[in-house]
Amino acid sequence: MEIEPFALERWFGKYEHDADIMLAESGIRSLAASRFDTDPGDLGYVIPTDGDPDFRAEIAARYGRSADEVVFTCGTQEANLLAMLATLDDEDHAVVVTPTYQSLHALPRSIADVSTVELAPPGWNLDPDAVADAIEPNTRLVVVNNPNNPTGKYHSQDTIDALSDLAVDNDAYLLCDEVYRLLADDPLPPVASLGPRGISTTSLTKAHGLAGLRFGWLAGPPEIVDTARRWKDYTTISPSIFGQHVARQALADEDTILDENRALARDHRERVGEFLAAYGLDWYEPVGVNAFPTVPDEFDDSREFCRTVVEAESVVLAPGDLFGFDDRFRLGFGLPTDELAEGLKRVGRVIENAR
């Protein structure tokens, strides 16, 4: 098993620590720890190690499933890894909708054969027929991220239903990374609630502003969750006891937290739209907090533009070539308002100086 370097994380590793402003972060601004009771008691393992059964039952109810059909993980990243280890082996095939977060295509590629179905600007529309055409006799998994990272495209219920039907008809599973789902004003039902072949992964990182908890989960069919649970014994064993403790409180106050975060996202989306329009940059108005606009004409490619911005103004953006689009860049607008305003001001200075 070989895995390709995670190019986005290596870019962040090079620039993020020393930069003033992180304008490529893909989640909402972090909530203060003081908002929660952070004393879980003794610092032991979460027992049982796949998560407290009563709490798992609460989460499972969101999907119309039982506690045994949910396993708690260290963020969505582990949930996705476990889902792929549970579904794929080296004789299998997967179909992945791209562009997307790199792990969603790199992880299955490290295990099985992978075909991709490309979304295209300006609408980033997903054609279920293209997914159907990509399916092979040994296809075991179809992977989609909804809302999409980096484009912010929110595929419709009809589209997701069509993918779910394709999975069932081909004895495959549909894995949907739904980490941005609850930032939508009117979220679609999760994939794990749609049928017997649906797998949902998510966490409290992006929509809730609790990245430091490293708390997420996988929900899906019992045969997949059982296998994921066995794999978890060899990864993190159990989720963080701090994560589970604070997650209970966050979900008890979820409506308030999501109302705050959606309002912030709406306000910031409008600010970013005005900024991009002022500089003649195209974008698809996204769901979530990721924009994927075009690179200014004055720069040859995304890497040149983003490198200039961070070196001249100490603001980190994500080059679009990391997602397969060298004429675009990812801009995360979920950060605190004052940081967003200052970051956009600095990016604007770079563009103006190049004109």
Side-chain angles (χ1 to χ4, degrees), residues 282-306:
D282 294 330
W283 75 323
Y284 174 88
E285 187 169 332
V287 172
V289 288
N290 291 308
F292 201 46
T294 51
V295 170
D297 291 338
E298 292 77 13
F299 297 86
D300 291 337
D301 53 42
S302 64
R303 202 59 79 104
E304 181 195 10
F305 175 58
C306 293

Side-chain angles (χ1 to χ4, degrees), residues 309-327:
V309 169
V310 71
E311 292 178 354
E313 293 289 350
S314 198
V315 174
V316 179
L317 299 168
D321 72 304
L322 301 178
F323 301 93
F325 287 82
D326 206 16
D327 60 342

Side-chain angles (χ1 to χ4, degrees), residues 117-190:
V117 173
E118 293 283 343
L119 308 177
W124 306 105
N125 294 314
L126 174 55
D127 181 2
D129 288 339
V131 176
D133 289 344
I135 288 176
E136 300 178 2
N138 61 335
T139 297
R140 178 77 168 163
L141 188 65
V142 176
V143 182
V144 67
N145 173 212
N146 201 35
N148 177 263
N149 172 14
T151 68
K153 174 71 176 186
Y154 201 13
H155 305 302
S156 70
Q157 186 66 61
D158 286 346
T159 298
I160 297 301
D161 285 344
L163 297 189
S164 180
D165 290 343
L166 282 171
V168 170
D169 292 345
N170 289 277
D171 294 324
Y173 293 92
L174 174 62
L175 168 61
C176 189
D177 180 326
E178 297 169 341
V179 74
Y180 297 103
R181 184 178 73 90
L182 293 180
L183 280 176
D185 290 329
D186 187 18
L188 300 180

Side-chain angles (χ1 to χ4, degrees), residues 65 68-69 173 192 195-199 218-226:
R65 292 186 174 272
D68 289 341
E69 294 172 298
Y173 293 92
R197 311 292 286 189
I199 305 168
L218 180 158
E223 69 274 14
I224 297 301
V225 176
D226 287 346

Side-chain angles (χ1 to χ4, degrees), residues 90-101:
D90 58 5
E91 296 180 352
D92 292 329
H93 174 260
V95 178
V96 182
V97 177
T98 57
T100 192
Y101 190 58

